[in-house]
């Protein structure tokens, strides 16, 4: 769709340069650790080396003797204020600081407050803790066996390690479909724990101003309002009242879900500031970030797909064990303990489906959806896209042909899936065909056949995913009871410029630009003249924040709706100025003109000026509006990705030769920014497929707890991503847009796995678990007798 | 323990400081000199967010002691702009959407700046090689490569 | 990521530096590139009461051919090695090696001497220096002594350097005609230590047979490994496919790696074999072209 506005206005469809960049390219960003306040103190945290242990004693004398150390805070300190435990976003509970035992390696045990960060580090090194190690529960399957140590003894009457059981679909009908099917394929798939590792770690400055009774927290948070309300609820009993709490989310160096949870460090810093009366800064190191902050994935899935012998899918069954660590601290909408996993029927018209998820406690850090996963959609898409390829392999059908055969046809939208979602729009065949054309699919299959004769291992993998974003309609979606609307407040100034504030919070997605473009599109005010603000809870309208690709679907919609309210008032003012009735006016970007007499017009700028200088009697002055947008449905972006790999028979290394990503996120605000989201998302899809993993040995010691072993891809491991688009607007969204930030992280991993399996399928390989390390692949090559 | 009086030239301006031996150069820049454009992203010398130029050479300032910079010249991201004019590297990153959250960007730009000083027309492979010590989570590196190529073209005139 | 406190010294002469090491026995560490030392101190995994910074001592960074040797100053930066014309043209195995050490920014400070003196079998230069039959010059209070590389690595993180000695020069015999070498490293990503690495230097005789072979393995034991059996096997043989395969097999038998996230023992031993074969092929090709 070609842009409807001029480049000067910069509305939808223009790849205008980002408005937030001038400060970043000058090194003048304002990240939490850049902020220094007068009298500020520094906090550092003592952490447990044990995954499960009783705390016998915490010796603070040596630490308190270090010059510059002012305090050592322990669980006992916080217990006095009943702040030693806090609720999680899933209404579980987790410790802020322990009074009795630790439940995961790297758990916070005590906090040192000092005059500067070097002294705080010395203080931490001087704290001595006596532990009595306890039996460790690491394997989630063993955690459910009778006789396993019960971890959450803090919960009265708790006799096991179960967290929840959740299911959806028709169990019986799906069982019958499997029983009646011509072919049933099954795979066990484990998606390991990973960590999003944004380059900026988490941190805050908690600043309690005694004179004003006001707490300000500068915080790396993707959801400032929700955090404010949580603090008010959690700490209300110690006198923190919501109007006296201000959360400021300044510039954030990457969030991806990792900056949604409330980490103990924040709460301790707040408590310290309230007690000491000075600003307290806490910024974690990278190792703390990897070892203690919220993880993602850790899903053990048994996936079963039934079909007719012509490839028509008839039933999908998935049983999942979800390892949540010692507390369910995932930031899912409250009715969805397994997030939006039930999107697992994917892009296919599967008549029968059933999925169940069981959550379990283990001695690991709590979580966990904090890695660009759209509330468990990465897991769901991995399951369906892998099992689809498995079915193709079983039937000896081309995987593209099998997908085409089963896609939900374009004319079937809005489509009600067997698991209850109403997909708003989609055109899956078009996206797959485009990807196939871009990569030269048929020629690649020929090449593969020739290479196979020579013993060369080349694979082609497809992922045709459907995403589900924009949480969400108030009927079903809330976080801790707060509905998942989002908001925008716009105010037009007399000289026709504007400021707009939103309830979301960008961490690099470019809202200062894209939101301005939405308003430019609706009102014709150049995007360059629209100032966008987010993140300060004292001024921004209430919103649920930015994660799960929800901003454009919710807050972006609110922006359009607020702008339309302004246009309604502007029309009244224009009618007054032009001395016609509103019915005689026509809107054309940036102005109202009189039907049949286009020279009689008023620009939005003239109308804005009049709103303050010459508004109609009986009408309020000013030109502003606020909208709280309750989306009628989620949006369903989709895409088809195709990956080509070559496998080194000597080392087992998988080299991605090409990767084509065709995405459809409906109407696009800024194509350049969307491509940037895709590039980054693809990299975060490739990383878990090939490189990243957090695991634990049998004693609960973390493996992969620093950048030495947690392998974030560099520019050398990352291929040159090729992107394409189709555009299938959302029929219910005010400007037909869908979210897009996580599509690529969701869609990419199975494309890569499918390619690697495809390279080896002629040898009988049916599945490879991620990350597909060279050693794993080499072991398969050796087993099949084709290692160099 | 021991402290040292050092004199460091940063972006052309001389600074005197009295520092502990163990003070990291990145902290001298960020805390003592309040030049917060240089960022910290890890604790194992991997991420490169802290990259600055030491006597014209890119180094990871988290793995250099402030005392090692005594009598030497440091250039940070704040030194790229001259008299209100952006450096071609800065323009390249802006035009080609080479940044999203902006956190790795100063380090990326300093590394790229140094690359262009010795290689006025780097290929994609040479750019990827040069920035392989700088991690980015947001961009997938594609537009960073384009940014450097754009800057190179601009600098060549 | 904050080191514990230490004292810092920046001597201006080699003698002064050695004097400081003598003055604080067992409690002083040399700060050369600092790209191994400082990360250890930041994680408080190692400690030192005194850092002796040798970066102000003149005459420690150079690359020159002299007296039948390539002489590299101990404090020569890896990036300088990569840029050196004489190294590129006559010792490409050193380019192979330097290019895969850490990442390009770290290589601006990391030094060749430091890469050897740290005594880490996971570092890349040791295997290459073994293959090249290099010598290390150690300078201490009593003056210089020359240590053959085969005697330099004594244990994990331990070398033949005395606590008051500084590694001031590395000497590599200048190559005979028809000599070629290559270093091949398998790493999980740029910046990682080797899953496996093989350095091979060969000299070919008039009939195309191997008259000299040096093979070193990275991260294949507590110290860098010299694959002696494979070296001996190659003597006098033409480097055909069968010979290369057998030499690689023998080299792998010299490998004694530990299992870790990079791989199991079995995988690493097999990779030593695969990489030795690849490095040997490359070395032979370079020798034939030389």
């Amino acid at each position: 769709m070609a842009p409807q506005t001029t480049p000067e206005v910069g509305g939808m469809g223009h790849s205008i340069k980002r408005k937030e960049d001038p400060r970043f390219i000058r090194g003048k960003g304002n990240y939490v650790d850049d902020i220094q306040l007068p009298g500020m103190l520094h906090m550092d945290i003592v952490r447990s080396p044990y995954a499960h242990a009783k705390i016998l004693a915490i010796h603070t004398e040596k630490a308190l003797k270090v010059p510059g150390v002012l305090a050592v805070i322990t669980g006992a300190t916080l217990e006095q204020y009943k702040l030693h435990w806090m609720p999680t976003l899933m209404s579980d509970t987790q410790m802020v600081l322990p009074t009795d035992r630790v439940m995961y390696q790297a758990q916070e045990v005590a906090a040192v407050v000092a005059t500067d960060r070097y002294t705080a580090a010395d203080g931490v090194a001087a704290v001595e803790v006596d532990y009595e190690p306890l039996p460790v529960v690491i394997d989630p399957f063993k955690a459910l066996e009778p006789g396993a140590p019960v971890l959450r003894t803090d919960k009265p009457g708790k006799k096991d390690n179960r967290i929840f059981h959740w299911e959806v679909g028709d169990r019986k009908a799906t069982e019958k479909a499997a029983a009646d099917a011509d072919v049933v394929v099954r795979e066990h798939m484990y998606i390991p724990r990973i960590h999003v590792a944004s380059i900026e770690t988490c941190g805050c400055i908690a600043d309690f101003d005694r004179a004003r009774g006001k707490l300000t927290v500068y915080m790396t948070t993707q959801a400032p309002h929700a955090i404010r309300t949580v603090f008010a609820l959690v700490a209300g009993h110690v006198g923190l009242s919501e109007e006296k709490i201000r959360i400021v989310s300044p510039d954030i160096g990457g969030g991806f879900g990792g900056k949604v949870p409330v980490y103990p460090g924040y709460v301790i810093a707040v408590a310290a500031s309230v007690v000491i009366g000075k600003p307290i800064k806490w910024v974690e190191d990278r190792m703390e970030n990897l070892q203690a902050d919220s993880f993602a994935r850790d899903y053990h899935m048994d996936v079963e797909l039934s079909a007719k012998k012509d490839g028509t899918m008839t039933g999908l069954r998935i049983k999942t064990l979800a390892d949540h660590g010692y507390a369910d601290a995932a930031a899912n909408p409250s009715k969805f303990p397994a997030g939006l996993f039930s999107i697992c029927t994917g892009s296919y018209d599967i008549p029968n489906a059933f999925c169940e998820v069981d959550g379990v406690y283990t001695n690991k850090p709590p979580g966990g959806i904090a890695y660009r996963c759209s509330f468990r959609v990465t897991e769901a898409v991995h399951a369906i896209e892998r099992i689809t390829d498995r079915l193709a392999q079983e039937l000896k059908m081309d995987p593209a042909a099998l997908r085409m055969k089963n896609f939900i046809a374009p004319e079937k939208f809005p489509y009600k899936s067997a698991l209850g979602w109403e997909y708003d729009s989609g055109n899956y065949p078009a996206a797959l065909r485009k990807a196939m054309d871009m990569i030269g699919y048929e020629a690649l299959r020929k090449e593969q056949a020739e290479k196979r004769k020579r013993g060369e291992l080349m694979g082609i993998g497809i992922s045709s995913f459907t995403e589900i974003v924009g949480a969400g309609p108030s009927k079903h979606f809330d976080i801790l009871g707060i509905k998942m609307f989002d908001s925008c407040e716009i105010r037009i100034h007399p000289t026709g410029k504007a400021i707009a504030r939103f309830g979301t919070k960008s961490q690099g997605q470019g809202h200062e630009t894209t939101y301005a473009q939405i308003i430019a599109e609706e009102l014709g005010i150049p995007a360059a003249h629209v100032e966008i603000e987010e993140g300060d809870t004292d001024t921004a309208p209430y919103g649920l924040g930015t994660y799960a690709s929800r901003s454009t679907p919710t807050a972006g919609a609110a922006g359009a709706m607020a702008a339309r309210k302004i246009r309604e008032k502007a029309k009244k003012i224009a009618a007054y100025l032009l001395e016609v009735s509103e019915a005689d006016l026509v809107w054309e970007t940036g102005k109202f003109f009189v039907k049949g007499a286009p020279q009689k017009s008023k620009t939005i700028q003239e109308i804005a000026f009049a709103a303050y200088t010459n508004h109609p009697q009986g009408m309020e002055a000013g030109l502003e509006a606020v909208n709280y947008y309750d989306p009628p449905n989620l949006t369903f972006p989709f895409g088809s990705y195709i990956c080509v790999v070559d496998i080194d028979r000597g080392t087992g290394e998988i080299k991605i030769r090409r990767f084509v990503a065709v995405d459809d996120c409906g109407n696009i605000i800024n194509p350049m920014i969307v491509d940037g989201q895709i590039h980054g998302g693809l990299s975060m899809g490739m990383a878990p497929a090939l490189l990243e993993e957090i695991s634990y040995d049998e004693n609960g010691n973390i493996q992969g707890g620093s950048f030495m072993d947690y392998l974030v891809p560099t520019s050398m491991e990352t291929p040159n991503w090729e992107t394409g688009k189709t555009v299938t607007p959302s029929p219910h969204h005010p400007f037909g847009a869908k979210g897009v930030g996580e599509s690529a992280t969701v869609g990419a991993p199975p494309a890569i796995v499918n390619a690697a399996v495809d390279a080896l399928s002629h040898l009988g390989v049916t599945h490879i678990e991620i990350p597909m390390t060279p050693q794993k692949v080499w072991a398969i090559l050796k087993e099949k007798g084709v290692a160099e | 323990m021991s402290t040292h009086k050092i004199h460091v030239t940063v972006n052309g301006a001389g600074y005197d400081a009295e520092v502990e031996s163990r003070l990291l150069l990145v902290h001298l820049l960020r805390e003592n000199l309040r030049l917060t454009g240089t960022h910290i992203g890890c604790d194992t010398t991997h991420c490169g967010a802290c990259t600055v130029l030491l006597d014209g050479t890119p180094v990871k300032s988290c793995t250099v002691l402030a005392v090692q910079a005594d009598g030497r010249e440091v250039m940070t991201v704040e030194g790229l702009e001259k008299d209100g004019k952006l450096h071609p590297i800065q323009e390249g990153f802006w035009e080609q959407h080479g940044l999203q959250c902006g956190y790795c960007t100063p380090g990326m730009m300093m590394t790229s700046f140094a690359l262009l000083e010795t290689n006025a027309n780097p290929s994609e492979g040479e750019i990827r090689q040069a920035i392989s010590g700088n991690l980015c989570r947001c961009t997938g590196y594609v537009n960073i490569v384009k940014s450097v190529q754009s800057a190179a073209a601009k600098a060549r005139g | 990521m904050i080191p514990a406190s230490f004292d810092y010294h920046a001597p201006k002469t080699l003698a002064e530096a050695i004097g400081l090491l003598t003055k604080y026995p067992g409690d002083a560490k040399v700060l050369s590139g600092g790209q191994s030392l400082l990360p250890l101190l930041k994680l408080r995994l190692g400690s030192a009461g005194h850092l002796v910074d040798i970066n102000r001592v003149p005459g420690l960074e150079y690359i020159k051919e002299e007296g039948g040797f390539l002489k590299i100053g101990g404090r020569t930066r890896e990036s300088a090695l990569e840029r050196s014309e004489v190294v590129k043209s006559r010792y490409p195995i050193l380019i192979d090696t330097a290019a895969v050490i850490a990442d390009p920014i770290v290589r601006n400070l990391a030094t060749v001497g430091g890469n050897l003196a740290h005594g880490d079998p996971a570092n890349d230069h040791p295997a290459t220096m073994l293959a090249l039959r290099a010598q290390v010059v150690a300078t201490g209070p009593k003056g210089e002594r020359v240590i053959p590389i085969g005697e330099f690595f004594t244990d994990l993180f331990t070398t033949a350097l005395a606590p008051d000695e500084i590694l001031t020069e590395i000497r590599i015999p200048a190559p005979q005609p028809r000599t070629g070498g290559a270093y091949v490293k398998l790493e999980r990503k740029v910046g990682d230590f080797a899953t496996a690495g093989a350095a091979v230097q060969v000299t070919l005789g008039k009939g195309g047979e191997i008259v000299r072979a040096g093979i070193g393995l990275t991260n294949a034991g507590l110290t860098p490994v010299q694959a002696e059996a494979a070296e001996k096997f190659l003597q006098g043989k033409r480097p055909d496919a069968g010979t290369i395969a057998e030499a690689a097999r023998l080299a792998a038998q010299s490998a004694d790696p530990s299992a870790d996230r990079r791989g199991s023992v079995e995988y690493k031993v097999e990779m030593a074999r695969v990489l030795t074969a690849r490095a040997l092929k490359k070395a032979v090709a370079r020798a034939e072209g030389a």
Side-chain angles (χ1 to χ4, degrees), chain C residues 258-280:
Chain C
S258 321
D260 62 18
R261 283 196 117 196
R262 294 184 186 88
S264 62
V265 170
E266 185 198 9
Y267 178 67
K268 290 187 178 185
V269 168
E270 279 298 292
M271 289 308 103
R273 181 182 62 77
V274 170
L275 296 187
T276 299
R278 291 183 183 182
L280 182 48

Side-chain angles (χ1 to χ4, degrees), chain A residues 176-511:
Chain A
K176 183 167 192 308
D180 294 346
D182 294 330
V183 60
V184 179
V185 286
R186 293 183 185 88
E187 278 298 340
H188 179 80
M189 303 182 198
Y190 174 49
I191 303 193
R193 187 177 265 244
I194 51 177
H195 194 287
V196 78
S198 48
I199 306 299
E200 181 203 30
T201 61
C202 298
C204 70
I205 303 173
D207 181 16
F208 183 70
D209 179 340
R210 274 201 186 128
R212 289 169 178 75
K214 182 145 184 184
L215 172 72
T216 302
V217 189
Y218 302 88
M219 194 173 165
T220 53
T221 176
Q222 300 172 231
H225 292 92
I227 299 300
R228 185 189 71 192
T229 304
V230 167
F231 276 3
L233 295 172
V234 166
H237 64 279
V238 297
L240 281 181
S241 184
E242 196 166 8
E243 86 283 10
K244 290 293 202 182
I245 303 172
R246 176 184 176 213
I247 307 293
V248 179
S249 192
D251 290 322
I252 310 285
F256 314 111
K259 290 172 176 160
V260 174
V262 178
Y263 295 119
Y266 302 142
V267 179
I268 305 167
V270 167
S273 185
V274 172
V275 169
I276 298 175
K278 289 227 161 72
I280 308 280
K281 175 183 272 193
W282 168 69
V283 178
E284 58 180 10
D285 290 346
R286 174 59 59 192
M287 287 168 68
E288 295 178 283
N289 170 261
L290 290 172
Q291 295 181 23
D293 289 354
S294 184
F295 68 94
R297 316 286 189 276
D298 222 346
Y299 259 27
H300 303 259
M301 309 186 291
D302 286 298
V303 186
E304 176 196 271
L305 182 62
S306 314
K308 299 187 184 147
K309 59 176 177 285
D310 70 352
T312 308
M313 298 172 184
T314 57
L316 176 73
R317 253 199 306 197
I318 307 183
K319 185 172 161 65
T320 298
L321 189 62
D323 184 338
H324 273 267
Y326 98 98
D328 185 354
N332 284 308
S334 70
K335 297 185 179 69
F336 298 87
L340 305 181
F341 187 74
S342 52
I343 193 63
C344 52
T345 54
S347 309
Y348 312 109
D349 191 1
I350 306 178
N352 303 290
F354 176 74
C355 69
E356 53 183 325
V357 179
D358 287 283
V360 62
Y361 289 125
T362 56
N363 283 120
K364 297 171 192 161
I369 52 169
Y371 192 137
R372 211 162 180 169
C373 67
S374 246
F375 301 133
R376 297 287 184 188
V377 181
T378 40
E379 291 88 325
V381 166
H382 199 89
I384 184 64
E385 286 306 299
R386 275 267 54 242
I387 204 72
T388 296
D389 250 41
R390 180 73 188 82
L391 178 65
Q393 192 179 3
E394 188 76 13
L395 293 172
K396 296 185 173 33
M397 260 183 93
D398 179 273
L402 179 65
R403 284 175 167 81
M404 288 289 193
K405 190 180 181 55
N406 284 283
F407 277 153
I408 301 159
E411 55 274 11
K412 279 211 163 164
F413 290 84
Y415 169 84
K416 193 82 188 286
S417 82
L419 294 177
W421 296 112
E422 187 183 274
Y423 295 18
D424 59 357
S425 67
N427 188 342
Y428 306 139
L432 178 55
R433 188 66 249 172
K434 182 156 190 172
M436 291 168 75
D437 290 341
M438 281 177 69
I439 208 163
Y441 185 78
E442 287 82 6
L444 285 169
R445 284 290 175 206
K446 283 205 181 79
E447 184 195 341
Q448 181 185 44
E450 280 156 23
K451 281 203 147 90
R452 267 192 187 158
K453 292 194 191 111
R454 297 197 296 272
E456 290 171 41
L457 303 171
M458 166 192 166
I460 306 156
I462 301 172
S463 167
S464 294
F465 66 93
T466 292
E467 248 271 58
I468 172 173
V469 302
S474 57
K475 190 160 177 213
H476 301 293
F477 291 88
D478 68 88
I479 293 201
L480 283 181
I482 307 170
K483 299 295 185 185
M484 295 185 73
F485 53 85
D486 226 285
S487 60
C488 168
E489 174 191 84
I490 307 174
R491 181 168 302 152
I492 316 289
H493 306 317
T495 55
K497 316 297 195 293
I499 183 165
R501 297 185 169 111
F502 293 77
T504 49
K505 177 61 207 172
S506 179
Q507 321 105 44
Q509 293 91 330
H511 292 175

